[in-house]
Amino acid sequence: MIKAHEFRSPARDLLLKLMQQGLAVVNGRNCVHAALRTLELPEKVYLVAIGKAADAMAAGAIDALGVRLRAGLVITRHGYQDSPVYRDPRLLSLEAGHPVPDEQSLAAGRALCLFLERVPADAHFIFLISGGTSSLVEALPEGVTLAQLQALNRWLLGSGLAIDAVNRVRSAVSSIKGGRLLTRLAGRRADVLLISDVPDDDPAQVGSGLLMPADTRPLPELPVEFAGLPLRVPEPQQKNENVSAAIIASNRQMLDGVAGAAKLAGVSIQMHLALPATDAIACGEKIADIVRAAAPGLHVWGGETVVTLPPAPGRGGRNQALALAAARRMQGQEGCYVLSVGTDGSDGNTDDAGALVDSESIARGIDAGLDADACLRDADSGTFLEASGDLVHTGPTGTNVMDLIIAYKQAD
């Protein structure tokens, strides 16, 4: 059930409905079921599902494989388990930390390595990987502690680095990322189905590339506090012919679903190929400028912005920062709306997917005694947006294909 804004309007209802219809197109259960029906599989199959969409994806595998599914391991975020999966006696279901790894992430890494070790030498694996995997499962090399890993990940989350650079750092302090898990397959066959949460749908970047040839480019410069970490850039690897990978859901597919739903609703829509800025606040401002100057209709973007966090960030994530920045720019401009959400149902350090703002959002927050400028500066957009009544809460969505931004200008 989606919870959004205490005020209802046809415009708000339209944007939330379009979001729902876009998410349905990339639902993990449906996408996995459809993909597995096209594969030629043996009578015995072993499953590994990891990520924020792991339970939905595993449910699709249960639907498609039936009795051919002999055993499996499912690892998802705390609070994201779904009963059809964790009640299946063939599957071991674990929860772990996100966006910062925790003790359960290391336990999940041990469980993953043990599972691969114990299944038969002729096993055929199905790996279902979605965003969040990088935090949810880890095996640390000697000389790296959990506290060091957590500190590094906290810095990475607020660094403003692009995801490929973030993943190169993650792989350099891991015994399984950057293709290193391939050695534990010991030549066995694996079909890897991926829900992409990365630009250009690069399989090597989804989940930091557990089973994909590593990204061996140099690491970005790290703060001096991490100088003592034993960083190991993965060695160049040849493609493993026993491992095949396919993207089964992507941001583009979701956007196409939104566009189709808008056309059925009779609303004009313009699809934008790229976000107007990388920084979340700048992006929100530019999107607000676009919708203010546009003719009535919808404008849709997909992708991810970045945020640079202060030492003690408040509540919120990149979608809430984008939305609040847009609301600040749209203040007093009637008939303009911006929806910005994480497609997995979470944003930053919150369980809110994002926000749906309008020209009155800033006024509502001010009436509650809050300052939008201060909240943006302190990475505390969620506090303002809760007070203005603009947060969107979906709960786990069963997918994770980066972010969705919809701007709407109503006709007079």
Side-chain angles (χ1 to χ4, degrees), residues 46-298:
Y46 296 83
L47 178 71
V48 176
I50 314 173
K52 285 184 278 186
D55 272 47
M57 297 179 81
I62 294 170
D63 296 339
L65 296 173
V67 297
R68 287 182 293 173
L69 175 56
R70 295 308 172 97
L73 174 66
V74 181
I75 302 166
T76 194
R77 180 179 178 174
H78 291 301
Y80 275 48
Q81 279 189 340
D82 191 29
S83 59
V85 174
Y86 71 71
R87 290 180 179 172
D88 192 310
R90 298 169 295 179
L91 304 178
L92 172 62
S93 292
L94 303 175
E95 292 182 317
H98 184 278
V100 177
D102 59 9
E103 287 282 2
Q104 285 69 41
S105 303
L106 301 185
R110 293 190 294 270
L112 172 60
C113 294
L114 188 62
F115 179 75
L116 297 183
E117 178 184 313
R118 289 183 173 179
V119 297
D122 62 348
H124 187 119
F125 291 101
I126 299 293
F127 278 82
L128 308 176
I129 306 296
S130 59
T133 293
S134 296
S135 176
L136 296 171
V137 60
E138 186 57 279
L140 293 174
E142 187 175 350
V144 180
T145 67
L146 175 60
Q148 289 173 318
L149 178 70
Q150 290 175 325
L152 180 62
N153 273 271
R154 290 189 182 99
W155 178 80
L156 288 169
L157 290 168
S159 67
L161 290 173
I163 188 61
D164 59 341
V166 169
N167 283 341
R168 289 200 299 278
V169 176
R170 288 168 169 165
S171 297
V173 290
S174 175
S175 294
I176 56 175
K177 293 181 172 67
R180 291 188 172 111
L181 192 65
L182 280 168
T183 60
R184 298 180 184 271
L185 281 185
R188 289 170 290 186
R189 175 71 186 168
D191 289 299
V192 185
L193 304 181
L194 303 138
I195 291 181
S196 173
D197 68 332
V198 297
D200 302 320
D201 299 329
D202 180 2
Q205 298 299 335
V206 181
S208 299
L210 294 173
L211 296 167
M212 298 294 109
D215 182 345
T216 58
R217 289 176 292 170
L219 299 179
E221 185 175 351
L222 301 181
V224 66
E225 64 190 278
F226 302 118
L229 282 177
L231 301 175
R232 301 180 306 143
V233 177
E235 298 291 330
Q237 302 157 331
Q238 292 185 339
K239 179 177 172 58
N240 189 319
E241 297 300 328
N242 286 329
V243 177
S244 64
I247 302 291
I248 61 168
S250 68
N251 189 266
R252 184 68 212 188
Q253 288 173 249
M254 178 198 61
L255 296 180
D256 289 343
V258 171
K263 290 175 182 177
L264 287 175
V267 184
S268 65
I269 183 169
Q270 182 174 342
M271 308 294 291
H272 295 265
L273 296 179
L275 291 167
T278 301
D279 176 79
I281 293 174
C283 188
E285 291 171 345
K286 289 180 181 294
I287 285 173
D289 290 343
I290 289 170
V291 71
R292 288 172 62 202
L298 292 160

Side-chain angles (χ1 to χ4, degrees), residues 307 309 313-321 347-350 379-383:
V307 290
L309 298 177
R315 170 185 177 182
R318 60 181 178 263
N319 286 286
Q320 291 165 58
D347 183 39
N349 58 8
T350 76
D380 196 27
S381 300
T383 297

Side-chain angles (χ1 to χ4, degrees), residues 382-407:
T383 297
F384 190 99
L385 293 164
E386 180 181 40
S388 64
D390 290 315
L391 290 174
V392 174
H393 186 83
T394 64
T397 62
T399 194
N400 186 11
V401 292
M402 298 192 286
D403 299 337
L404 170 65
I405 301 100
I406 308 176

